[in-house]
Amino acid sequence: MTKTAVVALGGNALTRLGQSGTAEEMADNAATMAACVNDVIEAGWRVVVVHGNGPQVGNLALQQEATTAVPPQPLALLNAMTQGELGSLIASAVNALRGPGAAAALVTHVTVGQADPAFAAPSKPIGPFFTADEAEHLAGTRGWIMHPDSGRGYRRVVPSPEPTGIVEIGAIRALVDAGCLVIACGGGGIPVDASGGHAAGIDAVIDKDRAASLMARLLGAQALVLVTAVDHVMINYGTPRQAALRSITTDEAESHLRAGQFPPGSMGPKIEAALSFLAGGGEWAAITSPGLVAATLSGEEWAGTRIERSPSQVVQGR
Amino acid sequence: MTKTAVVALGGNALTRLGQSGTAEEMADNAATMAACVNDVIEAGWRVVVVHGNGPQVGNLALQQEATTAVPPQPLALLNAMTQGELGSLIASAVNALRGPGAAAALVTHVTVGQADPAFAAPSKPIGPFFTADEAEHLAGTRGWIMHPDSGRGYRRVVPSPEPTGIVEIGAIRALVDAGCLVIACGGGGIPVDASGGHAAGIDAVIDKDRAASLMARLLGAQALVLVTAVDHVMINYGTPRQAALRSITTDEAESHLRAGQFPPGSMGPKIEAALSFLAGGGEWAAITSPGLVAATLSGEEWAGTRIERSPSQVVQGR
């Protein structure tokens, strides 16, 4: 029986810190990602890739606002555009290693609840930085919520609601069964309301690790791999007792999380995504850097952080 | 046995003449298209939709050039972006009628031959109009070929090579078999070289009707429906002998084509796409307006133009 792994890659893996986001840079980075994914396939896994899109949607948002000659598109459609753009780049990079047609990128919509509390407290910054005057103007004309960010100016913030369903889950399953490496839920998915109809009014960003966790649960995947910039999850970070976590149980992860070991903006959501996958029946989750993904999946001791379900844990229906 | 129809819709069906291309306009137009496609599904057909992207890629190209703060993307990636954008809008409109997950939009790459004579004679205008000075600057800095267009200024022209293969044909087939309405080859497909690897250097546009014809042949579809602004193909257009064609054979269509009845820029390529589908084993092709698609598929006499294979015609291997 072939096992399935959902692998989530950051948008920074495609446009790295300090890069401007040219097609050449993104194609080079996609080739590096494809090599990492290829190692996983070679180890016998079926793979579904979820990718971020932060830098790319930021560039698009900036270009959309640079002219009034044509109408700017809402965030949901910018997200859809990056699914096409990055899906094409990643699929082509995988195809270059595994042959034409090995990969398939699917435009993916993810449902969110209209009563999600995130809608009352937008917190996810997107797009370019603006001056205070520009921010005030945009708040007035476009209804955007603008927050000061990193002392570099103002940015638009949008809600980041919990994903409740994946509209194309049947199509994703059909493609996985057909042997495709599937690229889906890019940028966390295009948010739609519960009916699945397009909701151009939903200006929100779904966390891609949460979307990957939900997809892994819905597919009945064995493993969820959250790829990030660091090799391991650390505890007591920056103190003399700092330590890398190699293999931990869900009980241990939950206890570290409650103890405030993982910052809310970075490692916290990844741990939560891993825990929710394991609570839903997943076998194990991994958090590691691109170079250690294959070794972590093979269970190498020296590789990244693996989280396994505690023997006591009750599995929720899948 | 369920029959399969490939339905090709123009990019102007999503942004109509005189519209600026707002998300609301496109969503409204997508709903109209979805109703037309839904009629076909209700009549018992499996449907694959191919859509154009002329107005949308034009708007994106204009926005990409409006700022130097972030790098503009090559045409292949703009095409990929419109596949995400329009795929999302069309899928959501179909889902609104048929339920979440009824439709699936796939990022699609189409191979072209590097020796295609089209590369030596770029002819397809894309993107915004420029002044003579701007055109000269862009030709120098970007290497673009600029042609005067409609007396309104200069536009970039790119090659329009013949599609030779569809990289994701296996994935499309898997999704059709799974019962999805599939949206694929948007904008004619993202052009790639024969290896299927990404070819960011291929700045070209594949004719969407040609791509739809190839897809219909590769899928073994029974029908190819080319949706356009007119109800019928006309002969002797603008003369006292003007007549609408209802049902014709491939022999008749070829004879009209050779007689110069169909202008090269508009109906000619549609007739050629239909003929190449029928030569490859298709049962019949239709050319008609959105409102007559379902009636034409049902074989109503009063509906659009149907082209059937002449009894004498030898079918090439599919």
Side-chain angles (χ1 to χ4, degrees):
Chain A
M1 217 23 222
T2 311
K3 294 175 295 184
T4 301
V6 173
V7 178
L9 302 150
N12 286 313
L14 279 159
T15 300
R16 298 189 185 170
L17 220 61
Q19 293 186 331
S20 64
T22 65
E24 292 72 23
E25 288 166 352
M26 292 193 289
D28 278 354
N29 296 336
T32 305
M33 283 170 56
C36 150
V37 167
N38 191 43
D39 288 345
V40 179
I41 299 173
E42 289 290 322
W45 291 83
R46 288 177 169 184
V47 177
V48 179
V49 168
V50 175
H51 61 82
N53 70 350
Q56 297 80 25
V57 91
N59 277 12
L60 257 180
L62 198 150
Q63 291 166 322
Q64 295 272 324
E65 298 301 324
T67 174
T68 54
V70 296
Q73 299 302 335
L75 187 56
L77 288 186
L78 301 190
N79 185 336
M81 288 181 201
T82 65
Q83 287 192 354
E85 177 189 27
L86 303 180
S88 171
L89 285 165
I90 300 169
S92 297
V94 171
N95 287 347
L97 294 176
R98 303 196 62 78
L106 197 70
V107 178
T108 319
H109 302 86
V110 172
T111 53
V112 297
Q114 283 173 309
D116 191 302
F119 285 108
S123 62
K124 170 85 183 163
I126 54 144
F129 287 84
F130 295 97
T131 66
D133 282 352
E134 287 168 337
E136 199 178 325
H137 178 72
L138 287 164
T141 53
R142 306 287 291 276
W144 291 357
I145 318 247
M146 308 296 291
H147 279 189
D149 190 329
S150 335
R152 291 170 56 199
Y154 289 76
R155 287 177 87 188
R156 183 179 180 200
V157 290
V158 296
S160 186
E162 193 73 34
T164 59
I166 297 172
V167 174
E168 285 82 5
I169 193 70
I172 295 168
R173 200 176 281 120
L175 290 173
V176 170
D177 287 347
C180 286
L181 173 134
V182 183
I183 301 151
C185 284
I190 305 159
V192 292
D193 60 29
S195 76
H198 209 268
I202 300 188
D203 271 353
V205 167
I206 297 163
D207 181 78
K208 70 153 197 334
D209 293 323
R210 285 184 186 166
S213 172
L214 175 60
M215 181 149 66
R217 273 176 281 154
L218 294 175
L219 289 176
Q222 283 71 32
L224 171 67
V225 183
L226 305 175
V227 184
T228 181
V230 296
D231 292 346
H232 306 94
V233 179
M234 308 288 275
I235 50 168
N236 304 316
Y237 187 74
T239 76
R241 291 166 53 234
Q242 171 175 314
L245 298 176
R246 306 271 165 176
S247 180
I248 58 171
T249 65
T250 49
D251 284 349
E252 289 165 334
E254 264 163 20
S255 134
H256 289 313
L257 186 66
R258 276 196 304 271
Q261 286 283 357
F262 311 124
S266 61
M267 199 52 83
K270 287 190 200 301
I271 298 283
E272 285 167 1
L275 288 172
S276 104
F277 167 63
L278 295 167
E283 289 181 12
W284 51 271
I287 301 177
T288 191
S289 59
L292 291 183
V293 166
T296 307
L297 275 159
S298 320
E300 301 288 350
E301 285 251 330
W302 48 267
T305 302
R306 280 173 70 120
I307 311 177
E308 296 189 32
R309 207 166 51 237
S310 300
S312 62
Q313 181 163 1
V314 177
V315 173
Q316 299 154 6
R318 301 192 85 164
Chain B
M1 213 25 219
T2 311
K3 294 174 294 182
T4 301
V6 173
V7 178
L9 301 151
N12 287 313
L14 279 159
T15 302
R16 298 189 184 172
L17 219 61
Q19 293 186 331
S20 64
T22 65
E24 292 72 22
E25 288 166 351
M26 291 193 291
D28 279 353
N29 296 335
T32 305
M33 283 171 56
C36 150
V37 167
N38 190 43
D39 288 344
V40 179
I41 299 174
E42 290 290 322
W45 292 82
R46 290 178 167 184
V47 176
V48 179
V49 168
V50 174
H51 62 82
N53 71 349
Q56 298 80 23
V57 91
N59 277 11
L60 258 180
L62 197 150
Q63 291 166 323
Q64 294 272 323
E65 299 301 325
T67 173
T68 55
V70 296
Q73 299 302 334
L75 187 55
L77 287 185
L78 302 190
N79 185 336
M81 288 181 201
T82 64
Q83 287 191 353
E85 177 190 28
L86 303 180
S88 171
L89 286 165
I90 299 169
S92 297
V94 171
N95 288 346
L97 293 177
R98 302 195 63 78
L106 197 70
V107 179
T108 319
H109 301 84
V110 172
T111 52
V112 296
Q114 285 173 309
D116 191 302
F119 285 108
S123 62
K124 170 84 183 164
I126 54 147
F129 286 83
F130 296 97
T131 66
D133 281 352
E134 287 168 339
E136 198 177 325
H137 179 73
L138 286 164
T141 54
R142 307 285 291 275
W144 291 357
I145 317 245
M146 308 296 292
H147 279 189
D149 191 329
S150 334
R152 291 172 54 201
Y154 287 76
R155 285 178 87 189
R156 183 177 181 203
V157 290
V158 297
S160 185
E162 193 73 35
T164 59
I166 296 172
V167 174
E168 284 83 5
I169 193 71
I172 295 167
R173 200 175 282 122
L175 291 173
V176 170
D177 287 347
C180 286
L181 174 133
V182 183
I183 301 150
C185 284
I190 305 159
V192 293
D193 60 28
S195 76
H198 208 268
I202 301 188
D203 272 352
V205 167
I206 297 163
D207 180 78
K208 70 150 197 335
D209 293 324
R210 285 183 186 167
S213 172
L214 175 61
M215 182 150 67
R217 273 175 281 156
L218 294 174
L219 290 176
Q222 282 70 34
L224 171 67
V225 184
L226 305 175
V227 184
T228 181
V230 295
D231 292 346
H232 306 95
V233 180
M234 307 289 274
I235 50 169
N236 304 317
Y237 187 73
T239 75
R241 292 167 54 233
Q242 172 175 314
L245 299 176
R246 306 270 165 179
S247 180
I248 57 170
T249 66
T250 48
D251 284 350
E252 288 163 335
E254 265 164 19
S255 137
H256 290 313
L257 186 65
R258 275 195 305 270
Q261 286 283 359
F262 312 124
S266 62
M267 200 50 86
K270 288 192 198 301
I271 298 284
E272 284 167 1
L275 288 173
S276 105
F277 166 63
L278 295 168
E283 289 181 12
W284 51 271
I287 301 177
T288 191
S289 59
L292 292 184
V293 166
T296 308
L297 275 159
S298 321
E300 301 289 349
E301 284 251 330
W302 48 266
T305 302
R306 280 174 70 120
I307 311 176
E308 296 190 32
R309 206 163 54 236
S310 299
S312 62
Q313 183 163 357
V314 178
V315 173
Q316 297 155 10
R318 301 190 84 161

